[in-house]
Amino acid sequence: MTGTRKRLNRAEKARAMKEGFCYVCDGLGLDHKGFDGYEPQYAHLDHYAIPFSSIGGSSGGTALIHAHPDGKTPDDEGFEKATTRNCHGIKSNKHNSMSGYINYVKARMGAREVEFIEDIPDLKGRDPSSCIMTWRWNFSGAPSASLRHKEYPIVEEKRGGVSWSRFLCGAEARVLFTDRESQVRPAEKKSLIKIIDTFLIDDFPVFNPINVRIDKCGHLVIFDGNHRATAAALSFGVNITLPIMVWNIEADQDTCAIINT
């Protein structure tokens, strides 16, 4: 049920619960999206206000949502199959659209199950050959590098007699892997949720680039920034272009990126 904001009397709410469904469960395509077995106080009416800049436009509307205090929230294992849910349990007053909140719920659900970017369901079983890069480092004349046939200037620094070279560019989340030769920290659920909030609630961009190198097979592998990359892919989808810093680093015993199935 969606519509303009109003206070429902008892009969109207009972009818809405009988005929309607939770807009979050419906948007996620879940079973048990109705309100059978729910007391009236456990069916909330979410209201999405009209921004001041949009006065005169369409209403933000209201919609029914599961809000059982003992129900599973999107952060809980078993939420998808639960018959009693609290879809309202992770909602704040900063969400300004139904579709935006549904996307936020999807991202939070994904944060339950992933530790590395390969764990994201949309990236499991991908064709590794489609993620191999063409690249070249050129240190003659003005140092530069090419990746996927685009040229980038190189930034070089020397520390303790060691030269560090890298360049900044962009790459889609779907072509990134985890560097198994370094000790990449598995993503923690709490940290993922915090970063998802900065993206989907605070509307911040990815401020810091994801640090990657190119393995011996030509894959871009993350050695720093696993939380940021994974949270961004959960929030915006695996086709989002992320800022990456590509470093000229070779592992002592390099292997090819692992493809999860």
Side-chain angles (χ1 to χ4, degrees):
M1 171 193 151
T2 61
T4 56
R5 187 177 193 178
K6 62 173 292 187
R7 184 180 296 275
L8 301 182
N9 60 37
R10 183 175 298 181
E12 288 173 330
K13 190 168 187 180
R15 185 168 62 252
M17 291 175 63
K18 182 178 180 180
E19 298 174 355
F21 45 78
C22 170
Y23 76 92
V24 172
C25 294
D26 183 58
L28 295 173
L30 301 180
D31 293 330
H32 312 297
K33 62 183 180 180
F35 289 88
D36 289 344
Y38 285 76
E39 296 296 325
Q41 65 268 32
Y42 301 150
H44 286 191
L45 275 170
D46 267 0
H47 173 68
Y48 291 92
I50 306 169
F52 286 119
S53 60
S54 301
I55 289 177
S58 60
S59 169
T62 59
L64 285 168
I65 184 172
H66 291 138
H68 197 293
D70 297 324
K72 296 280 190 181
T73 76
D75 287 341
D76 295 326
E77 295 293 337
F79 169 79
E80 291 87 337
K81 295 184 181 299
T83 57
T84 304
R85 299 191 180 106
N86 186 359
C87 299
H88 195 271
I90 63 169
K91 189 174 182 292
S92 74
N93 60 6
K94 294 184 178 180
H95 298 282
N96 56 21
S97 73
M98 296 177 198
S99 60
Y101 182 59
I102 292 169
N103 187 56
Y104 177 73
V105 169
K106 287 180 181 178
R108 290 278 291 255
M109 290 166 61
R112 298 193 320 243
E113 305 168 356
V114 301
E115 291 186 330
F116 301 100
I117 197 164
E118 291 93 344
D119 299 330
I120 295 175
D122 287 345
L123 294 182
K124 290 185 177 181
R126 56 182 159 167
D127 180 5
S129 64
S130 67
C131 304
I132 293 176
M133 301 291 112
T134 55
W135 84 98
R136 178 178 57 85
W137 295 92
N138 178 21
F139 294 100
S140 61
S144 65
S146 67
L147 182 72
R148 294 197 280 193
H149 309 295
K150 291 185 178 181
E151 293 289 329
Y152 301 94
I154 290 176
V155 176
E156 292 184 284
E157 290 183 88
K158 286 192 176 181
R159 295 288 185 271
V162 177
S163 180
W164 298 90
S165 304
R166 74 273 197 187
F167 65 92
L168 179 67
C169 65
E172 303 83 10
R174 59 181 168 79
V175 301
L176 300 180
F177 298 86
T178 302
D179 186 357
R180 303 290 177 171
E181 299 307 308
S182 65
Q183 294 183 345
V184 177
R185 191 158 52 101
E188 299 174 349
K189 176 182 173 181
K190 183 177 180 180
S191 297
L192 278 178
I193 289 174
K194 183 177 180 180
I195 300 173
I196 287 169
D197 284 357
T198 66
F199 291 151
L200 296 181
I201 294 180
D202 299 325
D203 290 329
F204 285 146
V206 181
F207 283 115
N208 296 322
I210 315 303
N211 290 296
V212 307
R213 66 180 182 87
I214 304 173
D215 71 11
K216 70 176 186 178
C217 297
H219 298 111
L220 296 170
V221 293
I222 300 169
F223 65 85
D224 176 71
N226 176 46
H227 281 82
R228 295 192 300 279
T230 303
L234 288 172
S235 298
F236 305 111
V238 297
N239 290 319
I240 183 178
T241 297
L242 297 172
I244 63 170
M245 189 73 77
V246 184
W247 293 79
N248 186 19
I249 298 174
E250 293 183 7
D252 293 335
Q253 296 181 337
D254 206 0
T255 59
C256 290
I258 297 174
I259 311 298
N260 282 10
T261 57

